[in-house]
Amino acid sequence: MNSELRLRTPEGIVFSYQLAGPISRCMAWGIDLVMISAIHTGVNFLCTAVGAVSLDFALALSLISYFVISIGYGVATEWAFRGQTVGKRFLRLRVMDAQGLRLQFHQILMRNLLRFADLLPACYMVGGIACLVTRRAQRLGDLAANTVVIHIPKHLEPDLENLLAGKFNSLRQYPHLEARLRQRASAEEARLALQALVRRADLEPAARVRLFSELAEHFKEIVTFPPEAVEAMPDEQYIHNVADILFRTRGGSTPPRGTETAQKSKEALAR
Amino acid sequence: MIIDLPRFIASERPTWTELDEILTRMEAAPYRRLTLEEANRFHFLYQKVSADLGRIATFASEPALRSYLESLTARAYGEIHETRQRRTRFRPWQWFYIEFPSAFRRQSGAFALSVIITIVGVIFGGFAVALDDEAKEAILPGMFSKHLGDPAKRVADEEKAKHDRLAGSHSTFASQLMTNNIGVSIKAVAFGMTFGIGTILLLFYNGVILGLVGIDYILAGQTVFLLGWLLPHGVIEIPAVLIAGQGGLVLGKALIGRGDRAPLADRLRAVGGDVMTLIGGVAVMLVWAGIVESFFSQYHQPVVPYWLKIAFGCAEFAVLVWFLGSKREAVQEEAP
């Protein structure tokens, strides 16, 4: 099973999605089961009122409504909320077409109806095993419907001003190397450096030294600064300076991405 | 590539906003079609945003901006590269009256196989009950317990009954029948994902039960009662289960992919619409069968004469054959 789904558009643009694992999907389904029970309880309350007129009709209504709710809940919510049930929304999961195309109604219907095969022999055993062994973490319903369940990452941005400000950054004395670092370092590498700084207090002293040593070695391979700029500079300070370059502009503030753009980003991801 | 990020954002933001607005409109009104000018503009904006994403992709310090552009590109990509038929407004009557029979006929080979498997089951069940007295008890599930005894005695009891056994519970009984049968049909389709093996076993077992009960009544000389009891709902219910099996077998065939070089995803994608149409049609048929079984089939002579029940069943079957067999023209949706 891959943890990532990479899509390449004919224009040569590659973007990737993080695939959801069986555990988070199971938790989402647990929340959905609670939702199904709650909705059915509400409908049963109405059926009780109908029972005053006809007990037979009320029982029939209760039976049919449970059947329809238990099967239709996933279909209706995933269609209405563009691939998300309440449980999936809560755990930031989303169903999408495996090729990145528009999710169609029959795909949603199929993946939900084929749950019966995934449930076999009990407790989602077939579906869980299928999730673990298939390349894109698909249960049988997903395979048939050509869908995947992705995890929508939450970009929690740390307080860069507090984290990176306050110290002289000798690497900034070489603007051309600074620009080269920003150009060559990937987003993942930048995030790794930042996360190491954010979480350094949680690390054991030996692990902390080893981590920053490896990171510093890695970033030194990406761009080599003159010896006088890094002389006697501890690895942790080196990574601090690298993150400062990658995440903040010369003026000391974070690059102006604009509140509107950031807000749009959040809204788009939430959709 | 080194870019002036603030200037880049300031100059490109109107493009992103415009594409975002178009996408939001398209997502809010999925049935609306773009005019040629709108489609051209949409394509231009998509290419421009893709190019922007390409420029920003190596720029490590902007994960949020990159996520936003990736999300925008992915949404536009899904709309632009979708080659399947564009969604049209769902018309229940057109779907049931035209699309369901069309899907049935398109996959008629799987239906024939479904019928053959069931007939083999019927023959097995018939032989079992004819040759072995204990076969009924060994094979029939609990819900068929009323058929375990002597059929002649059951018929006599039914015909002597002075009170309606289901009085006050017809609706509940009908709903039990509907939910149980629709559940079995969904399983018949879903088990297609076991390369069709689960579907074959389910159809065979269904056939065995049918053969077992049917031959038992025939051997007991109760053929008329059997036809009067079974035909009104059975002529819809049995074909419905066969069609569900057809759906499962179509799915199994796509999974096996024998003689088809297309990738698995394409094979499944090609049959997905038909399979879901079939199961939807089956659900409608089983709702009707449930109502008939609860409110009509359970009444026997002298309350309802057997000839009337048999005639009703035959008429239903004739309508079903016409409904599934005759070709009809779909009403084309007018372009706005």
Side-chain angles (χ1 to χ4, degrees), chain B residues 35-108:
Chain B
T35 62
L36 186 61
E37 292 76 31
E38 284 174 329
N40 277 335
R41 181 69 184 162
F42 178 53
H43 187 243
F44 167 75
L45 292 171
Y46 165 67
Q47 288 190 320
K48 203 154 187 309
V49 171
S50 294
D52 288 345
L53 178 60
R55 291 176 74 188
I56 201 78
T58 54
F59 206 74
S61 62
E62 276 299 311
L65 180 61
R66 202 173 74 148
S67 287
Y68 171 61
L69 290 181
E70 274 190 356
S71 156
L72 215 51
T73 311
R75 286 161 68 202
Y77 169 79
E79 298 290 341
I80 290 216
H81 292 277
E82 180 58 83
T83 53
R84 291 170 292 188
Q85 193 178 11
R86 182 145 186 94
R87 270 177 290 182
T88 51
R89 197 174 293 281
F90 180 67
R91 292 189 169 86
W93 178 247
Q94 181 162 319
W95 165 79
F96 183 68
Y97 187 64
I98 294 168
E99 289 179 29
F100 171 46
S102 299
F104 169 79
R105 286 193 300 275
R106 265 196 302 276
Q107 309 293 347
S108 55

Side-chain angles (χ1 to χ4, degrees), chain A residues 147-165:
Chain A
T147 53
V148 288
V149 180
I150 57 158
H151 182 256
I152 304 164
K154 196 174 184 178
H155 290 295
L156 276 179
E157 294 190 25
D159 186 353
L160 297 177
E161 293 307 311
N162 278 336
L163 188 72
L164 300 173

Side-chain angles (χ1 to χ4, degrees), chain B:
Chain B
M1 179 172 39
I2 299 168
I3 56 175
D4 182 345
L5 195 65
R7 188 185 293 175
F8 174 72
I9 291 173
S11 65
E12 297 301 313
R13 188 183 289 163
T15 307
W16 307 339
T17 309
E18 191 181 348
L19 182 64
D20 198 3
E21 282 169 0
I22 292 177
L23 281 168
T24 306
R25 276 205 303 275
M26 288 172 82
E27 288 160 1
Y31 308 114
R32 185 180 170 272
R33 292 184 183 183
L34 297 178
T35 62
L36 186 61
E37 292 76 31
E38 284 174 329
N40 277 335
R41 181 69 184 162
F42 178 53
H43 187 243
F44 167 75
L45 292 171
Y46 165 67
Q47 288 190 320
K48 203 154 187 309
V49 171
S50 294
D52 288 345
L53 178 60
R55 291 176 74 188
I56 201 78
T58 54
F59 206 74
S61 62
E62 276 299 311
L65 180 61
R66 202 173 74 148
S67 287
Y68 171 61
L69 290 181
E70 274 190 356
S71 156
L72 215 51
T73 311
R75 286 161 68 202
Y77 169 79
E79 298 290 341
I80 290 216
H81 292 277
E82 180 58 83
T83 53
R84 291 170 292 188
Q85 193 178 11
R86 182 145 186 94
R87 270 177 290 182
T88 51
R89 197 174 293 281
F90 180 67
R91 292 189 169 86
W93 178 247
Q94 181 162 319
W95 165 79
F96 183 68
Y97 187 64
I98 294 168
E99 289 179 29
F100 171 46
S102 299
F104 169 79
R105 286 193 300 275
R106 265 196 302 276
Q107 309 293 347
S108 55
F111 181 74
L113 185 58
S114 182
V115 171
I116 290 168
I117 295 163
T118 305
I119 288 174
V120 172
V122 168
I123 293 168
F124 181 87
F127 271 109
V129 76
L131 302 174
D132 184 358
D133 292 338
E134 292 173 5
K136 273 201 295 187
E137 279 186 40
I139 298 171
L140 281 182
M143 65 187 293
F144 288 90
S145 58
K146 66 181 176 184
H147 299 292
L148 286 174
D150 179 13
K153 188 176 177 306
R154 187 203 161 195
V155 173
D157 288 347
E158 295 278 0
E159 290 177 350
K160 271 193 300 188
K162 296 233 177 342
H163 303 289
D164 181 0
R165 286 177 296 104
L166 291 173
S169 61
H170 278 287
S171 300
T172 310
F173 184 53
S175 61
Q176 282 172 342
L177 292 168
M178 287 174 205
T179 53
N180 177 64
N181 290 337
I182 294 173
V184 169
S185 299
I186 293 173
K187 280 178 188 159
V189 173
F191 293 170
M193 285 306 285
T194 58
F195 296 93
I197 296 167
T199 305
I200 290 170
L201 290 176
L202 199 145
L203 285 171
F204 178 77
Y205 182 59
N206 223 37
V208 169
I209 293 172
L210 198 61
L212 209 110
V213 173
I215 300 297
D216 192 32
Y217 276 78
I218 291 168
L219 291 177
Q222 302 299 332
T223 310
V224 176
F225 173 86
L226 175 74
L227 293 175
W229 165 61
L230 202 61
L231 284 188
H233 66 274
V235 290
I236 302 296
E237 186 182 296
I238 296 166
V241 175
L242 291 172
I243 294 171
Q246 173 188 17
L249 293 173
V250 168
L251 214 52
K253 186 187 172 214
L255 205 59
I256 295 165
R258 189 181 159 87
D260 190 346
R261 290 188 171 185
L264 174 65
D266 290 353
R267 295 199 304 267
L268 288 169
R269 190 186 282 268
V271 300
D274 276 357
V275 172
M276 289 301 102
T277 300
L278 289 175
I279 190 65
V282 164
V284 175
M285 288 170 73
L286 289 173
V287 168
W288 172 255
I291 292 168
V292 171
E293 185 170 0
S294 179
F295 290 92
F296 188 62
S297 293
Q298 302 303 321
Y299 293 103
H300 307 289
Q301 210 158 264
V303 179
V304 181
Y306 289 135
W307 68 264
L308 182 64
K309 294 175 76 179
I310 293 169
F312 180 76
C314 290
E316 276 183 305
F317 189 66
V319 171
L320 182 69
V321 170
W322 165 81
F323 174 72
L324 293 173
S326 61
K327 288 183 181 173
R328 299 173 201 100
E329 288 294 318
V331 180
Q332 293 298 317
E333 195 179 13
E334 286 178 22

